[in-house]
Short mmCIF file of all heavy atoms in Angstrom, two decimals:
data_model
loop_
_atom_site.label_atom_id
_atom_site.label_comp_id
_atom_site.label_asym_id
_atom_site.label_seq_id
_atom_site.Cartn_x
_atom_site.Cartn_y
_atom_site.Cartn_z
N ALA A 1 54.76 28.68 -41.86
CA ALA A 1 53.32 28.88 -41.80
C ALA A 1 53.01 30.10 -40.95
O ALA A 1 53.82 30.50 -40.11
CB ALA A 1 52.63 27.64 -41.22
N GLN A 2 51.86 30.68 -41.17
CA GLN A 2 51.40 31.79 -40.34
C GLN A 2 50.61 31.26 -39.15
O GLN A 2 50.07 30.15 -39.19
CB GLN A 2 50.52 32.74 -41.15
CG GLN A 2 51.27 33.52 -42.21
CD GLN A 2 50.39 34.56 -42.88
OE1 GLN A 2 49.25 34.29 -43.22
NE2 GLN A 2 50.93 35.75 -43.07
N ALA A 3 50.58 32.03 -38.09
CA ALA A 3 49.78 31.66 -36.94
C ALA A 3 48.34 31.39 -37.37
O ALA A 3 47.76 32.15 -38.14
CB ALA A 3 49.82 32.76 -35.89
N GLY A 4 47.79 30.29 -36.88
CA GLY A 4 46.46 29.88 -37.27
C GLY A 4 46.42 28.96 -38.47
O GLY A 4 45.36 28.38 -38.77
N GLY A 5 47.54 28.79 -39.15
CA GLY A 5 47.61 27.95 -40.32
C GLY A 5 47.85 26.49 -39.98
O GLY A 5 47.85 26.08 -38.81
N SER A 6 48.09 25.70 -41.02
CA SER A 6 48.25 24.25 -40.87
C SER A 6 49.44 23.74 -41.66
O SER A 6 49.82 24.31 -42.69
CB SER A 6 46.99 23.52 -41.34
OG SER A 6 45.86 23.86 -40.58
N LEU A 7 50.03 22.67 -41.17
CA LEU A 7 51.05 21.92 -41.86
C LEU A 7 50.84 20.45 -41.56
O LEU A 7 50.33 20.10 -40.50
CB LEU A 7 52.46 22.32 -41.43
CG LEU A 7 53.02 23.65 -41.89
CD1 LEU A 7 54.34 23.93 -41.19
CD2 LEU A 7 53.21 23.67 -43.39
N LYS A 8 51.24 19.59 -42.50
CA LYS A 8 51.18 18.15 -42.27
C LYS A 8 52.57 17.57 -42.48
O LYS A 8 53.13 17.66 -43.57
CB LYS A 8 50.18 17.48 -43.22
CG LYS A 8 49.97 16.01 -42.90
CD LYS A 8 48.86 15.40 -43.75
CE LYS A 8 48.58 13.96 -43.36
NZ LYS A 8 47.45 13.39 -44.14
N LEU A 9 53.11 16.97 -41.44
CA LEU A 9 54.41 16.33 -41.49
C LEU A 9 54.26 14.85 -41.80
O LEU A 9 53.28 14.22 -41.39
CB LEU A 9 55.15 16.50 -40.17
CG LEU A 9 55.30 17.92 -39.62
CD1 LEU A 9 56.12 17.91 -38.34
CD2 LEU A 9 55.91 18.84 -40.66
N SER A 10 55.23 14.31 -42.51
CA SER A 10 55.27 12.89 -42.81
C SER A 10 56.60 12.31 -42.35
O SER A 10 57.62 12.99 -42.35
CB SER A 10 55.10 12.63 -44.31
OG SER A 10 53.85 13.08 -44.78
N CYS A 11 56.58 11.06 -41.95
CA CYS A 11 57.78 10.34 -41.57
C CYS A 11 57.74 8.98 -42.26
O CYS A 11 56.88 8.15 -41.93
CB CYS A 11 57.86 10.18 -40.06
SG CYS A 11 59.23 9.14 -39.49
N ALA A 12 58.64 8.77 -43.19
CA ALA A 12 58.72 7.53 -43.94
C ALA A 12 59.79 6.63 -43.33
O ALA A 12 60.92 7.07 -43.12
CB ALA A 12 59.02 7.79 -45.40
N ALA A 13 59.45 5.38 -43.07
CA ALA A 13 60.36 4.43 -42.46
C ALA A 13 60.79 3.38 -43.47
O ALA A 13 60.00 2.95 -44.32
CB ALA A 13 59.70 3.75 -41.26
N SER A 14 62.04 2.95 -43.34
CA SER A 14 62.58 1.95 -44.25
C SER A 14 62.41 0.52 -43.75
O SER A 14 62.56 -0.42 -44.51
CB SER A 14 64.07 2.22 -44.51
OG SER A 14 64.82 2.08 -43.31
N GLY A 15 62.14 0.33 -42.47
CA GLY A 15 62.05 -1.00 -41.89
C GLY A 15 60.88 -1.80 -42.44
O GLY A 15 59.83 -1.26 -42.77
N ARG A 16 61.08 -3.11 -42.50
CA ARG A 16 60.04 -4.00 -43.01
C ARG A 16 59.06 -4.45 -41.94
O ARG A 16 58.08 -5.12 -42.26
CB ARG A 16 60.68 -5.21 -43.69
CG ARG A 16 61.52 -4.86 -44.91
CD ARG A 16 61.76 -6.06 -45.78
NE ARG A 16 62.52 -7.10 -45.10
CZ ARG A 16 62.80 -8.28 -45.63
NH1 ARG A 16 62.39 -8.57 -46.85
NH2 ARG A 16 63.50 -9.18 -44.93
N THR A 17 59.34 -4.10 -40.68
CA THR A 17 58.45 -4.44 -39.58
C THR A 17 57.85 -3.19 -38.96
O THR A 17 57.61 -3.13 -37.76
CB THR A 17 59.20 -5.26 -38.51
OG1 THR A 17 60.34 -4.54 -38.04
CG2 THR A 17 59.64 -6.59 -39.09
N PHE A 18 57.59 -2.19 -39.77
CA PHE A 18 57.05 -0.91 -39.31
C PHE A 18 55.77 -1.10 -38.52
O PHE A 18 55.50 -0.37 -37.56
CB PHE A 18 56.80 0.00 -40.51
CG PHE A 18 56.16 1.32 -40.14
CD1 PHE A 18 56.91 2.34 -39.59
CD2 PHE A 18 54.81 1.53 -40.36
CE1 PHE A 18 56.34 3.55 -39.26
CE2 PHE A 18 54.22 2.74 -40.04
CZ PHE A 18 54.99 3.76 -39.48
N ARG A 19 54.97 -2.08 -38.89
CA ARG A 19 53.69 -2.30 -38.22
C ARG A 19 53.86 -2.53 -36.73
O ARG A 19 52.94 -2.23 -35.96
CB ARG A 19 52.98 -3.49 -38.87
CG ARG A 19 51.63 -3.83 -38.23
CD ARG A 19 50.94 -4.96 -38.95
NE ARG A 19 50.57 -4.59 -40.30
CZ ARG A 19 49.44 -3.97 -40.63
NH1 ARG A 19 48.56 -3.65 -39.68
NH2 ARG A 19 49.19 -3.67 -41.89
N SER A 20 55.00 -3.04 -36.30
CA SER A 20 55.22 -3.35 -34.89
C SER A 20 55.77 -2.18 -34.09
O SER A 20 55.90 -2.29 -32.87
CB SER A 20 56.18 -4.54 -34.76
OG SER A 20 57.49 -4.18 -35.19
N TYR A 21 56.08 -1.07 -34.73
CA TYR A 21 56.73 0.04 -34.05
C TYR A 21 55.73 0.94 -33.33
O TYR A 21 54.67 1.27 -33.87
CB TYR A 21 57.52 0.90 -35.03
CG TYR A 21 58.56 0.18 -35.85
CD1 TYR A 21 59.08 0.79 -36.99
CD2 TYR A 21 59.03 -1.07 -35.50
CE1 TYR A 21 60.03 0.16 -37.75
CE2 TYR A 21 59.99 -1.71 -36.26
CZ TYR A 21 60.48 -1.09 -37.39
OH TYR A 21 61.43 -1.73 -38.16
N PHE A 22 56.10 1.35 -32.13
CA PHE A 22 55.44 2.45 -31.44
C PHE A 22 56.13 3.72 -31.92
O PHE A 22 57.35 3.86 -31.78
CB PHE A 22 55.58 2.27 -29.93
CG PHE A 22 54.90 3.31 -29.11
CD1 PHE A 22 53.56 3.19 -28.78
CD2 PHE A 22 55.61 4.40 -28.61
CE1 PHE A 22 52.93 4.14 -28.00
CE2 PHE A 22 54.99 5.35 -27.83
CZ PHE A 22 53.63 5.22 -27.53
N MET A 23 55.39 4.64 -32.50
CA MET A 23 55.97 5.81 -33.15
C MET A 23 55.65 7.09 -32.39
O MET A 23 54.55 7.25 -31.87
CB MET A 23 55.46 5.94 -34.59
CG MET A 23 55.78 4.74 -35.46
SD MET A 23 57.57 4.54 -35.74
CE MET A 23 57.94 6.08 -36.60
N GLY A 24 56.62 7.99 -32.38
CA GLY A 24 56.43 9.26 -31.70
C GLY A 24 56.94 10.44 -32.50
O GLY A 24 57.78 10.29 -33.39
N TRP A 25 56.40 11.60 -32.19
CA TRP A 25 56.89 12.88 -32.70
C TRP A 25 57.40 13.71 -31.53
O TRP A 25 56.74 13.79 -30.49
CB TRP A 25 55.79 13.66 -33.42
CG TRP A 25 55.44 13.17 -34.79
CD1 TRP A 25 54.41 12.36 -35.13
CD2 TRP A 25 56.14 13.47 -36.00
NE1 TRP A 25 54.40 12.14 -36.48
CE2 TRP A 25 55.46 12.82 -37.05
CE3 TRP A 25 57.26 14.24 -36.31
CZ2 TRP A 25 55.86 12.89 -38.38
CZ3 TRP A 25 57.67 14.31 -37.63
CH2 TRP A 25 56.97 13.65 -38.65
N PHE A 26 58.56 14.31 -31.72
CA PHE A 26 59.17 15.21 -30.76
C PHE A 26 59.53 16.51 -31.45
O PHE A 26 59.58 16.58 -32.68
CB PHE A 26 60.42 14.59 -30.14
CG PHE A 26 60.15 13.43 -29.23
CD1 PHE A 26 59.82 12.19 -29.74
CD2 PHE A 26 60.21 13.58 -27.86
CE1 PHE A 26 59.57 11.11 -28.91
CE2 PHE A 26 59.96 12.50 -27.01
CZ PHE A 26 59.63 11.28 -27.53
N ARG A 27 59.79 17.53 -30.67
CA ARG A 27 60.25 18.79 -31.24
C ARG A 27 61.28 19.42 -30.32
O ARG A 27 61.31 19.18 -29.12
CB ARG A 27 59.09 19.75 -31.49
CG ARG A 27 58.39 20.25 -30.23
CD ARG A 27 57.15 21.04 -30.61
NE ARG A 27 56.48 21.59 -29.44
CZ ARG A 27 55.31 22.21 -29.48
NH1 ARG A 27 54.68 22.37 -30.64
NH2 ARG A 27 54.76 22.68 -28.36
N GLN A 28 62.12 20.24 -30.92
CA GLN A 28 63.17 20.93 -30.17
C GLN A 28 63.31 22.35 -30.70
O GLN A 28 63.73 22.56 -31.84
CB GLN A 28 64.50 20.19 -30.28
CG GLN A 28 65.59 20.76 -29.40
CD GLN A 28 66.80 19.85 -29.32
OE1 GLN A 28 66.97 18.95 -30.15
NE2 GLN A 28 67.63 20.07 -28.33
N GLY A 29 62.93 23.31 -29.87
CA GLY A 29 63.11 24.70 -30.21
C GLY A 29 64.53 25.14 -29.97
O GLY A 29 65.31 24.48 -29.30
N SER A 30 64.87 26.29 -30.53
CA SER A 30 66.22 26.82 -30.39
C SER A 30 66.56 27.04 -28.92
O SER A 30 65.83 27.71 -28.19
CB SER A 30 66.33 28.14 -31.15
OG SER A 30 67.61 28.69 -31.03
N GLY A 31 67.67 26.45 -28.49
CA GLY A 31 68.11 26.60 -27.11
C GLY A 31 67.30 25.84 -26.09
O GLY A 31 67.48 26.06 -24.89
#
């Protein structure tokens, strides 16, 4: 994406008790 643009990330889970999960997003840049 270009600076100022947008993206939407999705995370699909296989568990049948997903409703009970506390969910987080993390990121890791190079180095």
Side-chain angles (χ1 to χ4, degrees):
Q2 291 186 317
S6 298
L7 287 172
K8 187 173 184 177
L9 307 183
S10 298
C11 174
S14 64
R16 297 198 297 176
T17 57
F18 177 78
R19 179 177 295 274
S20 68
Y21 304 163
F22 182 85
M23 300 294 298
W25 284 98
F26 291 76
R27 66 188 182 187
Q28 186 169 17
S30 179

